[in-house]
Amino acid sequence: MFRTALRNVLAHKARLLMTVLAVMLGVAFVSGTLVFTNTISDAYQKSSAKGFDQVDVAVRPTYQDSKGDKVGRTAELTRAMLDKAGKVPGAASATGVVSGFTAVADQDGKLVGGDWQSTGGNYWGAKDARYPLVSGHAPHGRGEVLLDSRTAERAGYKVGDTVRLSVDGPVLTPAVSGIFTTDDGNVAAGGSLALFDTPTAQALFGKKGTYDEIDVKAAPGTSQSALKAALDEALPSHLVETTTGKQLADDQAKQIADSMSGLKQALLVFAGIALFVGTFIIANTFTMLVAQRTRELALLRAVGASRRQVTRSVLAEAFAVGAVAGVTGLAAGIGIGAGLRALLGSFGASVPDGPLVISPGTVVAALAVGILITMLAAWLPGRRAAKIPPVAAMSSVHAKATAKSLVLRNTLGALCAAAGVAVVLVATSMDATAAQGPMGIGAVLLITGVFILTPLLSRPLIAAAAPVMRAFGVSGKLARQNSVRNPRRTAATASALMIGLTLITGMTVMAGSLQTAIDKMASSAIRADYVVSMADHGPLSPEVAKKAAAADGVTASSPLRNGESRIDGETEFLTGVNGASIGKLTDLKVDEGSFTVGGSQVVVDKDRAKEYGWTSGSHFTAHFEDGKARRLTVAGIYEGNDMINGIMIDNKVLTPHLKAPADMQVMVKAADGASDAAKDKLAKALGLNPAIKIQDKQDISDGIAKMFTTMLNMLYGLLGMAVIVAVLGVINTLAMSVFERSQEIGMLRAIGLDRKAVKRMVRLESLVISLFGGVLGIGLGVFFGWAAGQLLGTKMPTYELVLPWGRMAVFLLLAGLVGVLAALWPARRAAWLNMLAAIKSE
């Protein structure tokens, strides 16, 4: 039986080719994902491990939790602690580390590196072992800075050049005193690193006389654990915590692995979708192959083969197909992994150097996925073939499904679909976090139900196309009849395309609705013409607000300043604003009282008012971070959103209690409204700062939309894999259908149907099946997009369903195009069949 199975595989090479390709694509996606993520993770881990070569033990401050109504704070690492750490037994040296956001501009004034990867720090002494100098000398004072070699090369700086940079707002113009190399992972990923001398770094990053971390190097012969024990004994345990360099490297490796796991899982989900779609093709292919060989299988049964042996022979064929697909998919996946890594570079993202990682797990996963998926999909056709009695098979009595089996299938499908709809509807009424699980279960049930019902749905939906098909004469009539002749085959072929379009349409509906909601939020909540913020969304220096207020053409401005407090024993962040002008800069709906901020009067968003049980006129006591308290009055309650919320208090009241005032953003209103000229004036007033973003309402919406658009385009690309697999399925089904109907096509040609009409018949059949899958996919996608939007609407009041009719029409046209392209080869093959040979075939 094994030899028979292998002969059948070799005899049907062409028919199994599309199946091999479908499985191969899915396997390539899986193995490519594993190779890519393992390679990137390994490169970053090795790079980060080098960064801890100069650290045997790191000393870090602990967070001091609040007691009573005092605000908690992080302990400080003082110079005395640094000196003590350097003198413990077994310590060779101790280095004080200071770091923070530092934006470096290139020669054109544009930010170098990413918003989140532009960092700064301190260079220790005259020669810092962490940062080997390539040229120049150590920095001295605010007038000098070191740049990493990658940033210097990208921005075109050399020793002696003046560079524009910013830490928290004001522009600095130090000279480049030197260039250094580093193994810092952020720099390897395309970021920048600027180093000042220690006193300058402490002053710039708000750490005057203190450090973020103390790195201790062990003397020869002293282990990291022994040094850690000595430091634990010498330093106050309630103020600091110590960690060995090895532990830091391990923790960093774990963080990198965790960060990569999200990407890995996302990519594997799409690989799974492609494989899931591929199972329809595999099942369809083996069903048709088995149907074509019923007499052969019946003869095997007649000469003594058991049912189990027949099933095993089909599974052996599937094993051979899966093994070939697994090996070729693994090879293609290695290429995909290497290509994705190179693609990162083309997008401007640098990756640390390292070899391509092909782990044994990747090889096993590729082969296991290819073989198991193929054998599982082929098991049902094999089992069904084995159950056919030999006599019935020889006389083709088995050819049609019984009414009982169709009723059972339709009943099961209806129950699954109804249960799926019910679960999804229940999930839409739940909390967004709790609803994720039920929503996923409901989606799986509904898609499964629709798939089971697809044979039933195919007849009425394809019949609806009858008026259009009549326009193509005999070819159109035959195509419509062929597409409903075998509903199960049509269902399996259309379902592959349906799944891809369901996901694409659902995400498009959500993205379009979210964009509209964000536009509404920005336009309805903000009256200000511009919002000024740091590129990394970090704190702004109060000097920025002062300069913005003094800029030419500015009529009103207000910084939004954060201040920690304790209210009723709970930590609560207050938002400090300019009470006199905040009403001119925002347009928030007031539910109770008035929007009045000044003195002891504050305004509170609706959610916090509900949490604390406040109404207009309520009083409460806020304990500030300096330990002082003040009795405040709720003047009004407004409807907050993701952009503006919280407790608003006048900065004249809040600022005196803050140790280091810093603003999250500054809102600005211009005399002539938002314009390029007004934006240029504001930018010049702020010193053309590379660290500062000046955005109008449209910029804010576009910035958020850009994230959605980038993500959506990535998802389109990933789901394109599933659509390609679906196309292969249509080609495979049509090609095998043409083979099955060779005699019929020969008869049609003999009675006068020309080659052009035969091609048209096959193409129209493919078009109808593809459009059927497209209609189902778009319908399900809209439903899932609506359901997910109901959950988002609970968190975003401005959310409303927006149907992208234009894009949905494009998706339907693409489904039709898929059908036309998929039919090219099968249609040509059908048209060029030899009439006499086709009529003689069985």
Side-chain angles (χ1 to χ4, degrees), residues 354-378:
L356 204 64
V357 178
I358 307 165
S359 67
T362 300
V363 177
V364 171
L367 295 176
V369 166
I371 293 170
L372 289 177
I373 291 292
T374 310
M375 291 182 70
L376 285 172

Side-chain angles (χ1 to χ4, degrees), residues 406-453:
L406 291 174
V407 169
L408 182 63
R409 178 184 178 123
N410 293 336
T411 303
L412 180 62
L415 290 173
C416 274
V421 171
V423 173
V424 169
L425 292 177
V426 169
T428 58
S429 63
M430 298 168 63
D431 177 77
T433 304
Q436 292 178 6
M439 184 73 77
I441 293 171
V444 171
L445 283 172
L446 179 54
I447 290 176
T448 303
V450 171
F451 167 65
I452 296 172
L453 285 173

Side-chain angles (χ1 to χ4, degrees), residues 48-58 92-97 127-132 181-183 213-219 224 227 243-246 248-249:
S48 66
K50 290 180 183 176
F52 295 113
D53 287 346
Q54 300 300 319
V55 183
D56 286 313
V57 178
S93 63
T95 302
V97 178
K127 191 174 182 181
D128 193 330
R130 299 172 300 168
Y131 307 113
T181 59
T182 178
D183 293 315
E213 180 176 310
I214 297 172
D215 292 341
V216 186
K217 184 73 176 170
Q224 290 186 352
L227 180 58
T243 311
T244 63
K246 183 181 183 306
L248 288 173

